[in-house]
Each structure stands twice: as structure tokens, then as C-alpha cells.
Amino acid sequence: MYLSKGQIEHESYDSIVDECIEKHGEFLIAILQDIQKRYNYIPEDAMRKLAKKLGITLRDVYGVASFYKAFSFTPKGKHVVTTCTGTACHVRGSSKIVDAFSNELGIKPGETTKDLMFTHETAACLGCCAIGPVVVVDGDYLPKVKTTAIRKIIDGTKRGAAILEEEDQRIFPIQVVCPQCNHSLMKPEHLVDNYPCIHVTISFKRKHGWLRLSSLYGSFNIESEHDIPVDTEVNFFCPHCHAELVGSSTCPECSAPMILMLVTNGGNIQICSRRGCKGHILDI
Amino acid sequence: MNIKIDGIRVDIPEGFTLLEAAKFLGIEIPTLCWHEGLSAWGGCRLCVVEIGEGERKKMVTSCTYPVEEGIVVHTASEKVVKSRKMILELLIAQCPTSRTLQDLASKMGVIQVRFDPKWENCIYCGLCVRICNEQMMARAIGFVNRGNKLEISTPFDKNSEDCRKCGGCIYICPACTLRCQGINQDNVLCNACYNSLQPTCISNEDNYNCWMGLKNECGTCSKEESKNI
């Protein structure tokens, strides 16, 4: 059973240590495993009591407990997310998954979130290299994890179980350039939906600022310097040549002007300039 | 038990280790993590010897290997000397400030360290852990963590109640004895003692008489001569 931090501090470890010793005798690792299962970590005082009761020095208990990575001396989160960083998973980009978890949870590998919900760990190899990159959430193995699925995994875990949904094949990242100056509009240092964003400058109602669009085709996530009210028609400009990115046609859904950008692999994409409208035309 | 060390046949009682047998014969084997009064550990690997003959030769640590009937031991074969030098190079790369290691290097003729120095202050020989455990009966310090995070510490890095501050760990530590702070103190290898052990004939202008009576045999004179030319 999982206990909150406050409960642990007030509890005495005598009974649980006695219980474990009765169950396992003098087998230290088994006792430590039971204590860890009970508290989600091994409290210092429990180890002191254990050493006293087994008649061995604290040094020996601590030496064994620190040897195994499975034992933790700091409280672990309710959910443990382990990313495999073994060779097979590494070449399939598991380091990006680790980074994505770090970004999403705001903690480095080996740390626990402040609300004690998630512990983020890495493992050297989980032994199932064929389905890599692998993420293990509370004992469930998730195969072929992609960075775009990290958010879903975390949300799913919070709700109960992490289920890796089949990825929508219609969602894929695109790269675009300005149709006037041919400069790339991509900004790799800023990620939206974990992909490099499309960076343009905009103006509406005498306001000027930057706008970052998700480069995932099918995603409508944006980041903007100013809040854009819904139904506002926005003018888009190239940040390099300052030419307006304006298309020839109008939106098939709301007949607002369309924004034109060239796709690097050939073709062009037009998106509706009205905030809130999802009208777009992809021509490859 | 009849064993043969470096060609010498000798009768050694059962239960002795190869190192003890060699010491009994006066054959010197360099040691670092071995200490009389403490249990053998076999951690530093400096005391390696070659046992067996022909195809079945293998290297073992003499401090932990018990004597066997009819065993053939080579304590200073070419392979043994080469691997000891390599081990010492690795140890010095870990902790170049240790006087014990530098002295061993001078003694064994290690004149280069081909590894990046780490300037750590521990070589994990385990002497302090064993003296605390076996002689001082305190069991205050021990090995903590594993692999590249291994360190010697008290539990939770706090002052231990078991520690009586006897200082035995510091007394026995080979890394705590710092090397002499000579002109080469920033070098990985000081070799000052090695250099001072060189024949004095270097300063002799006409090398008619080597101090050891070995004219031209050690090669120092001819090296000097070729430099002058």
C-alpha cells in the first residue's frame, strides 16, 4: 500500500521490521524488498532498527541496500516510469524519450516529482530489445514508444493505466519555407508537440509579435506572444524577409484569406488566417 | 606440499598462500592491498603470478591462491612483470598523488602512464574497510554503491556511532600518504626516486670507472656519450 510522506514520518518501523524478520529470517535482501514494498522506499530509521534487530552493523545493511539500484533511500513516486537506455533502444532514440519525460514531468532521470506522483528512471536494458524503445510504467511494458506519445502515457497513468494508443498515421511533422525568400521557417530550438515549431511573425489589430505553430500536420497547437481572440483574422509574415505569407485562395470553410507556406519536400500548405478555424489545404 | 617457485623446489605446509610461500623463500612479490594481520583481498592484482606449465599457464593473485601439491609458480616471468606494470599504470592514473604508488612505480620501473589521470583520492584497495572490520572491530566504514559510483563511506554519509575515531583507516591507507612535493608534483608520475637510483657515473666526466664496476653495461655512459656528440 502506498502511504503519503506525512504518514511515514509518524509511523514507527518496529512492527513492520519485526514482521519482515519473522517472515524471512535473516535474509537481508528479502527483508529490504518487503520494507521497500511497504513504504515505496527504505527509510533510514527502518534500516537502523533492522540492523539492531538482526545483530549486524548498519554499515552492512547500508552496503547491501546501496549496492542494488532497486532499493531507494528517498521516497519514490506513486508511479514509476522507467525508460530503457540500452543499446537497441538508444539507437532507436530512447534518449529523446528520456528528454521528453524530463520536459513533461519537470524532473531529471532518477528524481521524483514534488507531488510524489511520478518517479522518472532509466534502465540499462530491459531485455526486450525487439520492441524498443521501451518504456515501463508501473510494470507495464510499452513497446515502440514515440516522443509524441509521452503526454498520453503520463495522462493515462494518472487516470489509471497507461495505454499506448495506435498512432494516427495521418499525423506527421512537416518542414516549411517562406515562398518569397526560401528561408526555412522552422525553429528547432523551440518545440511544440515535441517537434521543431514553425516560427513566423504576425500582426493583428495593431499588435505585432511572434507565433509558433506546431509542425505536426493535423495538430493545431500554437504558442503566441499575444493572446489572439477567436475569429480574429491574422496577417502572417516571414521573420527573415518580412514578406507577407499570403495565399491566392480563400478558406474553403470560412472564406477568410489563406496563409501560404512551401513544404520543403515539394508542394505547399495553406492554412486559414482566422483564429479558431481549422481550414487548411495541403498540396504535395 | 611440494611446490616449485621460480625453479626452487620447496615444501610448504597446507593452507599457505603462494605469496606466503614466496615470502618464506625470500622472493619478493609487490603487494598493495595485502597486509599481514588482515584477510587477503586480491583487489589490487599487483601480486599476480603465473601458475602451471605450457598450455595451462594462467595468472592468479598470489595473496589469495592456496598452495597445491606439485604446483609450478613463476613470480617474475615476462608476462607477469608486464601485467604488473600495466596494473600499476592504471592505479597511478586513478590516484597519482599517492606516495605508495609512486614508490612502487620507481621500484618496478614504470616510467610512463598512458592513461588520462583521474586525480581521485581512493584506489578501492579495501584496506581501510578491512582494518576497521577486522582489527578495530568497529565496522563503521564500508563500500557504498556499486560500479563507477562505488565509494568508501559511513552509512548515509553521516558520522557513524560505531566509529571510535581510532584513525586506523588513515594509518593504513596507501592513497593518504602523499608523495613528496618536489618539482614534478603536477606530473602524473614523479619518478624522482627512480632517477636518484640511476648510476652516479652520469656526472663523472671520464667514465673510466663505473661505481658498480659495470662499464657500459647499464647503458647510461654510452647514452651520455651519444648525447655529448
Side-chain angles (χ1 to χ4, degrees):
Chain A
M1 199 194 104
Y2 178 74
L3 294 170
S4 76
K5 207 179 174 185
Q7 277 170 290
I8 292 167
E9 278 167 359
H10 294 293
E11 191 160 337
S12 116
Y13 303 106
D14 272 323
S15 55
I16 178 87
V17 171
D18 280 339
E19 216 172 88
C20 292
I21 292 175
E22 203 172 297
K23 190 173 162 195
H24 296 293
E26 54 175 2
F27 295 104
L28 183 57
I29 294 175
I31 295 169
L32 289 171
Q33 278 176 326
D34 265 20
I35 294 174
Q36 164 122 339
K37 206 182 269 174
R38 178 82 164 74
Y39 296 107
N40 248 2
Y41 79 110
I42 301 176
E44 188 182 328
D45 288 345
M47 272 166 75
R48 287 184 193 278
K49 288 222 161 92
L50 178 60
K52 212 179 239 175
K53 286 187 176 168
L54 284 178
I56 54 177
T57 52
L58 180 62
R59 176 201 81 163
D60 295 332
V61 181
Y62 187 75
V64 170
S66 66
F67 184 89
Y68 295 101
K69 216 181 161 188
F71 294 128
S72 165
F73 299 134
T74 48
K76 280 199 179 186
K78 189 175 176 183
H79 305 290
V80 180
V81 178
T82 311
T83 310
C84 180
T85 54
T87 314
C89 291
H90 176 78
V91 295
R92 289 179 188 164
S94 71
S95 55
K96 282 183 184 166
I97 291 172
V98 174
D99 290 346
F101 269 120
S102 294
N103 280 339
E104 205 61 50
L105 295 170
I107 48 169
K108 281 189 210 125
E111 292 178 350
T112 304
T113 50
K114 275 184 185 163
D115 58 359
L116 288 178
M117 281 301 278
F118 282 96
T119 295
H120 178 203
E121 285 181 345
T122 57
C125 183
L126 294 165
C128 43
C129 310
I131 56 169
V134 183
V135 171
V136 180
V137 181
D138 295 342
D140 292 333
Y141 283 65
L142 308 179
K144 294 182 180 167
V145 176
K146 298 195 171 159
T147 45
T148 45
I150 302 300
R151 168 131 261 175
K152 274 183 207 161
I153 291 172
I154 291 169
D155 289 345
T157 310
K158 275 181 191 161
R159 280 200 301 273
I163 299 156
L164 199 60
E165 287 161 30
E166 275 297 304
E167 188 163 326
D168 193 341
Q169 289 298 318
R170 291 167 301 176
I171 295 180
F172 52 92
I174 56 168
Q175 292 195 322
V176 291
V177 295
C178 168
Q180 299 292 330
C181 66
N182 233 12
H183 268 100
S184 175
L185 298 173
M186 307 307 294
K187 204 154 193 188
E189 56 268 35
H190 287 286
L191 301 182
V192 177
D193 291 340
N194 287 312
Y195 280 97
C197 68
I198 300 167
H199 185 94
V200 292
T201 51
I202 54 164
S203 73
F204 62 96
K205 291 181 182 166
R206 292 186 182 175
K207 278 186 178 171
H208 296 273
W210 50 258
L211 177 74
R212 294 184 188 131
L213 303 152
S214 170
S215 63
L216 279 188
Y217 184 72
S219 167
F220 297 93
N221 289 335
I222 61 163
E223 288 172 7
S224 176
E225 191 175 345
H226 308 289
D227 276 339
I228 309 168
V230 176
D231 284 340
T232 319
E233 281 180 20
V234 182
N235 295 320
F236 283 54
F237 299 93
C238 169
H240 305 286
C241 65
H242 308 292
E244 186 170 4
L245 305 167
V246 63
S248 50
S249 53
T250 51
C251 176
E253 290 183 22
C254 67
S255 69
M258 295 292 269
I259 307 300
L260 174 71
M261 288 175 285
L262 295 185
V263 182
T264 45
N265 295 349
N268 61 59
I269 183 160
Q270 296 189 54
I271 57 172
C272 179
S273 64
R274 197 166 61 83
R275 176 81 172 112
C277 174
K278 291 184 173 178
H280 61 275
I281 305 162
L282 179 67
D283 200 1
I284 291 179
Chain B
M1 285 190 179
N2 280 311
I3 66 166
K4 198 174 170 186
I5 300 184
D6 289 352
I8 308 164
R9 287 192 185 282
V10 65
D11 190 30
I12 299 287
E14 198 177 341
F16 272 51
T17 61
L18 293 181
L19 182 68
E20 284 161 340
K23 274 190 187 295
F24 175 71
L25 280 177
I27 298 169
E28 198 176 342
I29 296 175
T31 56
L32 183 66
C33 75
W34 180 87
H35 197 277
E36 51 185 357
L38 297 179
S39 59
W41 171 262
C44 72
R45 319 303 287 181
L46 265 186
C47 66
V48 283
V49 293
E50 216 169 7
I51 59 165
E53 279 175 303
E55 289 278 291
R56 303 189 60 190
K57 267 188 186 174
K58 63 171 181 177
M59 312 268 281
V60 295
T61 47
S62 60
C63 66
T64 53
Y65 203 88
V67 289
E68 289 168 356
E69 184 61 46
I71 194 171
V72 178
V73 186
H74 295 279
T75 65
S77 66
E78 199 181 320
K79 194 178 171 190
V80 166
V81 171
K82 208 177 153 192
S83 46
R84 273 186 203 153
K85 281 187 175 179
M86 171 64 92
I87 290 161
L88 195 56
E89 262 185 64
L90 286 161
L91 286 170
I92 289 180
Q94 168 85 2
C95 177
T97 51
S98 159
R99 180 182 167 178
T100 316
L101 292 178
Q102 296 288 351
D103 285 355
L104 272 169
S106 297
K107 202 168 168 186
M108 286 165 61
V110 175
I111 51 166
Q112 54 170 355
V113 172
R114 291 163 288 184
F115 306 99
D116 284 344
K118 282 174 136 183
W119 302 97
E120 298 281 339
N121 51 18
C122 183
I123 52 171
Y124 308 108
C125 63
L127 277 171
C128 51
V129 175
R130 276 175 290 150
I131 199 168
C132 189
N133 192 351
E134 295 165 15
Q135 291 294 334
M136 303 306 171
M137 304 296 173
R139 293 166 183 265
I141 54 171
F143 285 102
V144 173
N145 297 330
R146 176 174 46 136
N148 60 356
K149 294 195 183 97
L150 183 74
E151 55 182 68
I152 290 167
S153 175
T154 52
F156 305 103
D157 280 339
K158 290 176 181 169
N159 279 342
S160 170
E161 300 130 34
D162 301 320
C163 176
R164 298 191 303 270
K165 312 223 167 19
C166 67
C169 42
I170 295 167
Y171 161 75
I172 206 160
C173 176
C176 286
T177 321
L178 294 183
R179 71 199 221 193
C180 49
Q181 303 289 302
I183 43 167
N184 288 336
Q185 56 168 307
D186 293 330
N187 284 15
V188 177
L189 209 55
C190 88
N191 266 349
C193 306
Y194 178 78
N195 293 330
S196 67
L197 288 173
Q198 294 290 301
T200 48
C201 58
I202 296 170
S203 56
N204 238 341
E205 285 185 22
D206 47 347
N207 46 45
Y208 60 92
N209 195 4
C210 178
W211 68 303
M212 293 173 87
L214 303 164
K215 194 179 178 187
N216 280 339
E217 261 181 48
C218 72
T220 316
C221 323
S222 45
K223 253 188 254 167
E224 283 298 304
E225 271 168 15
S226 63
K227 238 187 249 173
N228 292 337
I229 293 161

